[in-house]
Amino acid sequence: MITATQDDRGLTATLLTLVSSLRDKGIPVGTGETLDAANAMVALGVSDRDTVREALKATLIRRGGDQTTFDALFDLWFGGPSDSDRYPADASVDDLNARLARALRTGDIRTVERLAVVAVEAHGRVAKSRGSLSAWSALQTLGAVGRDEVLTLARGLDDEVGGSIIAARSSRGWDVFSQRIQREVRLRTGAQKGAQRVADYGVLANINRRDFLNASADELEQIQRLVSPLARQIASAMSLKSHQSRRGHIDVRRTMRAALSTGGIPVKPVAKRRRPTRPRLVVLCDVSGSVAGFSGFTSMLLAGIAQSVRQVRLYPFVNRVAESTGLLRQTRSPDAFLTGLVDDPRIRSGHGNSDYGQVFEEFCEQHLAAVSPRTTVLILGDARSNGRPPCTGALREIAARARRLYWLNPERFALWGTGDSHASEYATAVAMHECRNVAQLEHFVRRTLTG
């Protein structure tokens, strides 16, 4: 049963709050989808929470990757913690593990979810200090139960089905148990401290809004699936720009020939046919430790671009710069590619920290011939030089020689120019774009390259 206010005005306000929270997490929800959701609630009623959840999910969510964020926010605004009075607060770990092992073994998901609530009630409460409210912890609960012990118990019982089937079923059941614990803790915390506070700080943003620099290994895998098509869009946008720039060269002979059908008046000019050329791209990417998370994104982006653009030349750097185009062609795995870039001894010397000024000067001295008026230069890095001076002159020289130059910076704009960052100075010389997540990369492709 939904616990939100049951009158129409209360439900409308709750629905609008849910929509606002979804938008805050980077999930696009328009007015049309909101009206559809309201109509669905009117048509289906609100007596069953699962029905309302599926109705709102079907009308408000358009991408499969948004479902986890939606479920967490729906629980906060349309749900509430389970009734803890029904569950014993003194369930021992041994008894809980034995019951959970039997449920995992038989695939009884309903019992697994119920035991998750029992586990939170018995072992998830964090001891409160004087004058403060008690808190709930999913990590403490999972630590008390113990994954290995439970799975060993599940596999060690009398085997009737087969060890591998039992192991796979138990592993899936444990994932459900873990997710239900996190959900229960989130609901209890929301009821205690306010749903808005938990929505702001306890629900992760959509993967599109997850910062590259802070992404976990699992999140980077999800980001990789989103970056690959964007890399192809970047390559296509470069080809389109190159094609559009060739328009305007009139073929006089063909224009006059075409004018014969209009009495000699050249109503429609005919452009010259030119042999299409592949776009040329030079990439300078920072692979120092300060942008380790961004380097993972860089390897994904370059791997995607390399599939569509053949004339790519790659120059990784820390405080020295060297060409690694061959590595881009030879390595299939993004992880192996990134390892090859980072371990290259030619790109670091002395202190081993990034130095953009020295890198730009060295690039101008040794590699500037790689840049021509038909080349697009892409720089990936945070512009932090560890106290070394900038060199905007060398950067301007590269930009003047290239057709276009774009710089994607993984740091928040508010941090540009702070500490050892020279981003503000370099941004006066070239077009620098904040690119902390997939959403900003999409915006860059849509507005800057194809806009």
Side-chain angles (χ1 to χ4, degrees):
M1 181 74 77
I2 289 176
T3 59
T5 307
Q6 295 299 303
D7 59 77
D8 292 344
R9 187 174 299 176
L11 282 174
T12 302
T14 305
L15 174 60
L16 294 178
T17 305
L18 172 64
V19 169
S20 176
S21 296
L22 290 171
R23 290 171 177 166
D24 290 343
K25 297 299 177 183
I27 299 176
V29 181
T31 304
E33 286 91 349
T34 306
L35 292 174
D36 289 344
N39 290 331
M41 292 174 67
V42 172
L44 299 174
V46 295
S47 58
D48 183 72
R49 189 169 63 183
D50 290 338
T51 301
V52 175
R53 178 196 297 272
E54 295 306 317
L56 296 188
K57 188 183 296 183
T59 51
L60 297 177
I61 301 301
R62 287 174 281 176
R63 300 176 299 199
D66 296 333
Q67 290 189 17
T68 303
T69 304
F70 171 85
D71 286 337
L73 293 174
F74 178 87
D75 286 339
L76 286 173
W77 296 115
F78 282 87
S82 303
D83 186 2
S84 59
D85 292 340
R86 293 182 297 164
Y87 304 111
D90 56 349
S92 69
V93 171
D94 292 340
D95 177 58
L96 185 62
N97 286 1
R99 293 159 62 191
L100 180 58
R102 283 195 293 272
L104 292 177
R105 180 180 173 82
T106 57
D108 185 353
I109 297 302
R110 186 178 293 276
T111 300
V112 168
E113 292 187 327
R114 181 177 177 277
L115 290 174
V117 179
V118 173
V120 173
E121 180 66 23
H123 306 289
R125 190 188 299 272
V126 178
K128 62 182 179 180
S129 59
R130 181 178 297 178
S132 64
L133 296 173
S134 59
W136 300 93
S137 169
L139 186 63
Q140 176 177 300
T141 307
L142 290 169
V145 177
R147 180 179 185 276
D148 293 341
E149 291 84 347
V150 172
L151 293 183
T152 301
L153 274 176
R155 287 193 295 267
L157 297 175
D158 293 338
D159 190 355
E160 297 175 355
V161 183
S164 60
I165 297 177
I166 293 292
R169 182 188 293 164
S170 300
S171 180
R172 289 196 298 271
W174 178 267
D175 291 340
V176 172
F177 179 74
S178 175
Q179 293 168 7
R180 185 64 180 89
I181 283 179
Q182 294 177 34
R183 177 186 172 196
E184 184 66 20
V185 167
R186 189 164 52 237
L187 291 174
R188 291 176 185 233
T189 306
Q192 191 176 60
K193 299 183 177 179
Q196 186 62 57
R197 183 172 179 182
V198 177
D200 290 341
Y201 300 104
V203 179
L204 291 176
N206 179 273
I207 192 67
N208 283 15
R209 300 294 183 97
R210 213 71 53 82
D211 283 6
F212 298 131
L213 294 177
N214 303 324
S216 64
D218 292 341
E219 291 168 347
L220 283 175
E221 285 187 10
Q222 299 178 53
I223 290 174
Q224 182 177 2
R225 290 193 287 272
L226 300 174
V227 167
S228 296
L230 283 174
R232 289 194 291 273
Q233 287 185 33
I234 291 176
S236 300
M238 291 170 53
S239 301
L240 181 62
K241 289 255 181 185
S242 177
H243 176 71
Q244 290 174 338
S245 66
R246 290 196 296 273
R247 292 179 181 173
H249 297 278
I250 304 296
D251 187 330
V252 177
R253 179 179 294 179
R254 293 178 61 209
T255 299
M256 296 309 296
R257 187 178 300 161
L260 293 177
S261 62
T262 55
I265 300 174
V267 176
K268 187 176 180 182
V270 180
K272 288 183 179 179
R273 291 178 184 166
R274 296 188 61 180
R275 203 166 122 189
T277 58
R278 296 184 184 278
R280 297 176 179 176
L281 178 65
V282 168
V283 180
L284 284 86
C285 56
D286 183 356
V287 294
S288 63
S290 63
V291 289
F294 189 63
S295 298
F297 154 75
T298 299
S299 65
M300 299 172 200
L301 183 66
L302 292 177
I305 290 177
Q307 294 176 1
S308 304
V309 182
R310 291 191 176 180
Q311 298 188 36
V312 180
R313 300 186 72 171
L314 174 62
Y315 295 88
F317 66 85
V318 176
N319 56 5
R320 302 287 306 277
V321 61
E323 183 170 7
S324 297
T325 306
L327 187 65
L328 186 63
R329 302 292 178 207
Q330 296 165 5
T331 311
R332 298 295 181 188
S333 165
D335 292 338
F337 171 60
L338 179 59
T339 302
L341 290 181
V342 174
D343 293 343
D344 190 340
R346 299 174 300 163
I347 61 174
R348 56 172 57 82
S349 66
H351 52 79
N353 298 318
S354 56
D355 184 346
Y356 282 72
Q358 181 175 331
V359 165
F360 290 147
E361 287 183 345
E362 187 173 315
F363 184 84
C364 287
E365 293 171 359
Q366 302 179 13
H367 306 288
L368 194 59
V371 181
S372 73
R374 298 170 64 183
T375 304
T376 297
V377 177
L378 183 64
I379 300 176
L380 307 171
D382 60 0
R384 291 196 175 272
S385 289
N386 298 282
R388 274 76 182 182
C391 186
T392 55
L395 182 61
R396 290 182 192 277
E397 186 176 353
I398 299 171
R401 190 178 176 89
R403 184 184 191 85
R404 285 178 293 273
L405 189 152
Y406 303 110
W407 187 326
L408 302 184
N409 191 328
E411 278 199 337
R412 192 181 298 277
F413 177 75
L415 299 177
W416 292 9
T418 62
D420 58 355
S421 171
H422 296 303
S424 299
E425 294 159 88
Y426 287 131
T428 62
V430 300
M432 184 179 289
H433 304 267
E434 179 182 307
C435 185
R436 295 184 292 112
N437 49 49
V438 174
Q440 291 184 333
L441 180 62
E442 287 177 338
H443 184 271
F444 167 73
V445 173
R446 188 172 59 251
R447 295 294 177 85
T448 305
L449 294 184
T450 63

